[in-house]
């Protein structure tokens, strides 16, 4: 028992020595964020519930005009898209904050860390959707939860993870490209304005 307490005390001293208080707080907040982040893109899998709406006429096989159905469609799609987009924004923000605090920020490190987080998020989506294993179980029954996590690995699970990773990567990639194009346009704006001013001030024949 004494050796066990000594090992815990030694580990705590080593951890606190390696991470200053501010960085330790950032690391702790990062872990909490990581546990709950997959809930955002997870909402995209709820779009399968649209199959329950049955918007087709049984006789004509054509889509019926039912505003009640379209209201449900709009609510579900708006919720899923909002969660996915806001989650993706937080993904890049958190990745940047972690890298800045570690003094390792670079565009390459940002892309690498974001892709790692997307893979972890895809695994989290699988856990939530098919194992129905929520974060609280890690606190209430950690032994059972860890056993579920160990037994879940198979090729079908990996294929699903690849699907969810690709979907999240597409969303982040579109936002990244859009922001890059906007920054390029914004950087060219002063040049365009100065050229227009020079043209306006030049004497005309």
């Amino acid at each position: 028992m004494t050796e066990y307490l000594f090992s815990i005390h030694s580990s705590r001293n080593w951890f606190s020595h390696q991470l200053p208080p501010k960085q330790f707080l950032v690391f702790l907040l990062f872990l909490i964020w990581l546990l709950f982040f997959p809930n955002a893109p997870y909402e995209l899998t709820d779009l399968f519930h649209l199959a329950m709406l049955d918007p087709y006429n049984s006789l004509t096989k054509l889509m019926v005009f039912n505003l009640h159905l379209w209201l449900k469609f709009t609510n579900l799609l708006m919720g899923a898209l909002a969660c996915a987009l806001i989650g993706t924004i937080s993904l890049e923000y958190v990745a940047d904050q972690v890298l800045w605090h570690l003094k390792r920020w670079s565009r390459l490190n940002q892309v690498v860390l974001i892709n790692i987080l997307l893979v972890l998020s895809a695994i989290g989506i699988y856990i939530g959707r098919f194992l129905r294993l929520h974060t609280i179980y890690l606190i209430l029954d950690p032994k059972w939860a860890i056993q579920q996590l160990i037994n879940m690995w198979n090729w079908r699970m990996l294929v699903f993870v690849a699907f969810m990773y690709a979907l999240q990567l597409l969303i982040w990639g579109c936002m990244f490209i859009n922001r890059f194009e906007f920054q390029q346009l914004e950087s060219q704006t002063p040049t365009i304005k100065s050229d227009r001013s020079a043209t306006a001030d030049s004497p005309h024949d």
Side-chain angles (χ1 to χ4, degrees), residues 182-202:
F182 179 78
Q183 291 173 347
Q184 290 291 106
L185 180 62
E186 194 175 41
S187 64
Q188 295 174 1
T189 300
T191 305
I192 296 173
K193 288 183 178 179
S194 61
D195 291 342
R196 288 179 177 175
S197 299
T199 303
D201 294 340
S202 62

Side-chain angles (χ1 to χ4, degrees), residues 10-188:
S10 301
S11 300
R12 183 183 300 172
N13 287 341
W14 179 87
F15 193 70
S16 62
H17 176 72
Q18 294 296 319
L19 287 177
K22 186 176 180 180
Q23 289 191 2
F24 175 76
L25 178 60
V26 172
F27 180 74
L28 181 61
L29 292 174
F30 169 72
L31 286 182
I32 295 174
W33 171 87
L34 185 59
L35 285 174
F36 290 96
F37 168 67
N39 291 315
Y42 172 90
E43 292 297 321
L44 291 173
T45 63
D46 282 343
L47 293 178
F48 270 104
H49 296 320
L50 292 172
M52 296 165 46
L53 296 181
D54 191 19
Y56 297 99
N57 186 294
S58 58
L59 297 177
T60 64
K61 305 302 181 183
L62 298 176
M63 186 174 291
V64 297
F65 183 64
N66 186 324
L67 290 179
H68 185 65
L69 292 179
W70 283 103
L71 176 61
K72 291 182 177 180
F73 170 83
T74 303
N75 288 337
L76 190 58
L77 191 59
M78 285 179 62
L81 289 178
C83 287
L85 293 176
I86 294 174
T88 304
I89 293 173
S90 75
L91 166 71
E92 188 164 303
Y93 175 80
V94 169
D96 287 342
Q97 290 299 313
V98 170
L99 292 173
W100 277 115
H101 279 87
L102 295 177
K103 296 180 172 54
R104 292 290 186 271
W105 195 95
S106 69
R107 183 62 68 186
L108 176 61
N109 288 342
Q110 181 201 46
V111 172
V112 170
L113 179 56
I114 285 176
N115 276 269
I116 292 174
L117 295 176
L118 289 179
V119 172
L120 295 177
S121 175
I123 296 174
I125 295 173
Y126 175 86
I127 293 172
R129 174 52 68 189
F130 298 107
L131 299 185
R132 310 303 297 175
L133 182 60
H134 301 287
T135 308
I136 192 64
Y137 289 122
L138 294 173
I139 301 174
L140 298 178
D141 195 352
K143 184 178 180 180
W144 175 82
I146 292 174
Q147 190 62 43
Q148 294 295 312
L149 296 177
I150 294 175
N151 295 335
M152 71 179 183
W153 299 92
N154 57 70
W155 71 268
R156 296 175 72 245
M157 173 264 187
L158 295 177
V159 171
F160 176 85
V161 167
F163 289 160
M164 294 300 101
Y165 165 74
L167 181 59
Q168 294 178 91
L169 183 63
L170 176 63
I171 296 173
W172 175 73
C174 290
M175 294 179 65
F176 179 85
I177 293 172
N178 181 69
R179 187 176 61 258
F180 178 78
E181 292 293 331
F182 179 78
Q183 291 173 347
Q184 290 291 106
L185 180 62
E186 194 175 41
S187 64
Q188 295 174 1

